[in-house]
Structures are given as C-alpha cells and as structure tokens.
Amino acid sequence: MRRFNAVRGAVLTAVTVTLCATLAATPAQAHPGARPLGLDNCTATGCHFDVPPGTYDVTVRLGGAAASSTAITGETRRSLLPETAVAAGERATRAFTVNVRTPEGEPTGPDGTPGLDLTLGGSAPALAGISVTPARQARQIILIGDSTVCDQPAAPYSGWGQQLPQYLRKGLSVASYADSGESTVTYLADPQLWGTVQPLIRPGDLVLVQLAHNDKTTDEATYRANLETLVAGIRDKGGEPVLVTPIVRRWFNADGTLNNNTALLVNGLGVDLPAVMRSVAAAENVPLIDLTAKTKTLVESLGVAGSKAIYLYNEKRDNTHTSVHGATVFAGLVRDALVAQHLVPEGLVRVG
C-alpha cells in the first residue's frame, strides 16, 4: 500500500474527513526518539505508521460535527473495522489488533510498503483520534490456504481471510499466509510458504488450514499424508490446528442443488477432498470447520441468481473466487464456527 505523505490538511478526495485532537492517552513510540503514533501520522484519507513487522493494537475515536460512517482497511486490502455510524457531535471508540509483515499480502507476492498503512473508508468517514501501540498479549490466527482465502492484491477479488479481521476485536489478530494457486503439495514444498510459516507459529496460536481447490491431481493417500504433516508440524510448535474444508464452487445442477463433483471439490482422480479432510480431522482429533457444508447451504439458499453476487460471476464469469461481499459473508461463517466451537472467546469477536 502507498505511503500517506501528502501535505497535511489537503483535501485529497471529495470525501470530508474530520481530524480532531488525538486521544487523551499518549500512544507508545515505535522506537526511542520517535514521535507518538497518532493523528500526526494521518491525512484526510488514511494513516501511515513507520513501524517494524510485528503485531499492533490500534485504537480509534470516530465521529465529528456531522453524522459520520467510517470503515478502516489496512495493508493489502484487509478489512480491519466494519463501517461504524456515529451521530453528529458524538464520538465512538473502537480497537483492533493488526499484523504487520513482509510481504504484507501473499507470501510469494511483492513486499509492499514498509510499516503499517490504514485507509479510511465508509460513506462519511471521520477520524477524531488514533493511537498505535505494540500488542503485548495478542493471540494470533494464522491462515494457510489458497486464492479463496488469501489477501487478494486487487479488486474485485477478495479471499475470506482478507475479511476475517473486521470480525475480531483488540487482542486477536489474523496473520494470513494463504497464497494463490497453492495445493497441499506445493505449499509444503515451497520454503516461502510452509518453510517460513511453521517457525512463526507460537504456543496457543490457532492455525486454520484450507487447502483443496488446487489439489486437482493429488491422490487420496498423498492428500491425507499432507494434511497429517501440516497438523503434526503445527502441533510441534505448540499451535492448535483447525482444518477448514474448502468453499464450494458455484456450479448448480438443473434442480438448483450443488450436488456434483465440481461444486463439492471432488478432484480429477475422484478424490472427495472435503471428505478426506473430515476423516483426518476425526482421526487426529483436530477441530473442523466444515465450510464446504456451510457454503453449500448458503449458496443453494440464494439460488442461481442470488448467488452470483457472492462470487465474481457478474464481473469475471468466475464461479470459484469471491467478491468482497461474498468473502465477507464467508468470513462471517468462519467467525461463527470459531465461537460455536469455543476456539476463540466471544469477547474477542464482533457480532453482526
């Protein structure tokens, strides 16, 4: 993401953003001698904080003289705070925890801009104050996956992992190491992927694994062994693995169901990949989020026409990859499953 280094106070877009006094609490400094990280790091459209890779707590005060509605994205198009309405003359405080890394998006992609970049969005954004401090006790959700999960670099694409952070409160961050085009075979073999991710896993981290879409020619024994390798490697570092079956493809039968191999990720060798993942989860006593079943139910309920907006059918005739809207809906299903299975405390999750 680009740095926000334009002349302060310049109106960069037609959107009016109110920038008021900084928060009363003095934010921590990134390093000795640095200025406090607050509104001095912001312009009318966003903020840039010159911080090293790590995990940071961000606290914002929203609102202004007029009614406002503000959303915040960061780094490579990650949704960090859902659109929040504040009445005229009022203020609202919100907080979230964000992972800063290099590369900032897909592990095999470009490095991106050093530091933390935040972008202000929403129908009438107004930022009254902001502080950024190193997170001291944040728990981490690490994502291992493919293009349906990853931080997609450009619109209209979005992975569900890119939308998951907006559902989480301060104290829980998402570190996505999902990468486009990866199968269990390629993910394990690439030192930029598994070779990089495994050493980063800390005791207590949740590690969500959704790899299947690109295992088109992986035989059942290999697929099973690869999942077992990932589970064992996560546990070796003290992490908690969670297997996530893949989102369905939007491939309807004439009767309006998705009961076919293309939709349900049965590969070219006849391997029912979600079924193998369910079997591994049961055998290894690993929590399972059956996103295949959840997305099948949802997509079928929307029907042939209604489900187009979930995917990129209208834009790209793409029935596999999701729009921002679709990724947000699917991320909500993951959020609900994490809470229902007591994998994350309810107090660290935004509902609605």
Side-chain angles (χ1 to χ4, degrees), residues 1 3-4 27-32 34-38 41 47-58 74-75 78 80 96-104 111-118 130-136:
M1 305 293 284
R3 290 180 184 268
F4 294 95
Q29 298 182 0
H31 44 76
R35 288 185 176 185
L37 301 180
N41 299 87
C47 308
H48 172 77
F49 301 97
D50 187 16
V51 296
T55 306
Y56 295 87
D57 291 331
V58 179
E75 298 296 270
R78 293 182 228 158
L80 300 172
F96 54 87
T97 300
V98 60
N99 171 261
V100 177
R101 60 183 182 270
T102 302
E104 69 179 34
D111 284 353
T113 302
L116 170 61
D117 288 298
L118 303 177
I130 184 168
S131 70
V132 175
T133 58
R136 301 301 182 190

Side-chain angles (χ1 to χ4, degrees), residues 322-347:
T322 48
S323 63
V324 170
H325 166 66
T328 302
V329 172
F330 287 173
L333 297 177
V334 175
R335 180 266 323 264
D336 293 345
L338 291 172
V339 173
Q341 297 188 45
H342 305 291
L343 295 170
V344 299
E346 286 189 51

Side-chain angles (χ1 to χ4, degrees), residues 184-191 194:
T184 58
V185 175
T186 61
Y187 202 96
L188 284 168
D190 192 333
W194 181 237

Side-chain angles (χ1 to χ4, degrees), residues 86-158:
V86 182
E90 301 292 331
R91 298 290 186 271
T93 300
R94 298 290 186 270
F96 54 87
T97 300
V98 60
N99 171 261
V100 177
R101 60 183 182 270
T102 302
E104 69 179 34
E106 296 179 88
T108 61
D111 284 353
T113 302
L116 170 61
D117 288 298
L118 303 177
T119 302
L120 304 177
S123 58
L127 181 65
I130 184 168
S131 70
V132 175
T133 58
R136 301 301 182 190
Q137 297 180 333
R139 191 180 183 194
Q140 187 167 236
I141 297 177
I142 293 175
L143 303 181
I144 291 173
D146 52 36
S147 59
T148 66
V149 183
C150 76
D151 287 355
Q152 289 281 358
Y157 294 90
S158 181

Side-chain angles (χ1 to χ4, degrees), residues 149-221:
V149 183
C150 76
D151 287 355
Q152 289 281 358
Y157 294 90
S158 181
W160 62 255
Q162 204 163 15
Q163 302 302 323
L164 185 60
Q166 67 184 295
Y167 290 119
L168 308 178
R169 298 182 187 275
K170 176 182 174 182
L172 187 60
S173 70
V174 174
S176 180
Y177 290 90
D179 197 71
S180 294
E182 305 301 340
S183 66
T184 58
V185 175
T186 61
Y187 202 96
L188 284 168
D190 192 333
Q192 289 182 281
L193 298 171
W194 181 237
T196 295
V197 177
Q198 191 195 20
L200 299 176
I201 299 171
R202 306 171 306 193
D205 284 346
L206 280 180
V207 185
L208 276 57
V209 178
Q210 187 215 276
L211 287 169
H213 276 275
N214 299 301
D215 281 280
K216 299 173 183 178
T217 59
T218 308
D219 63 78
E220 181 172 347

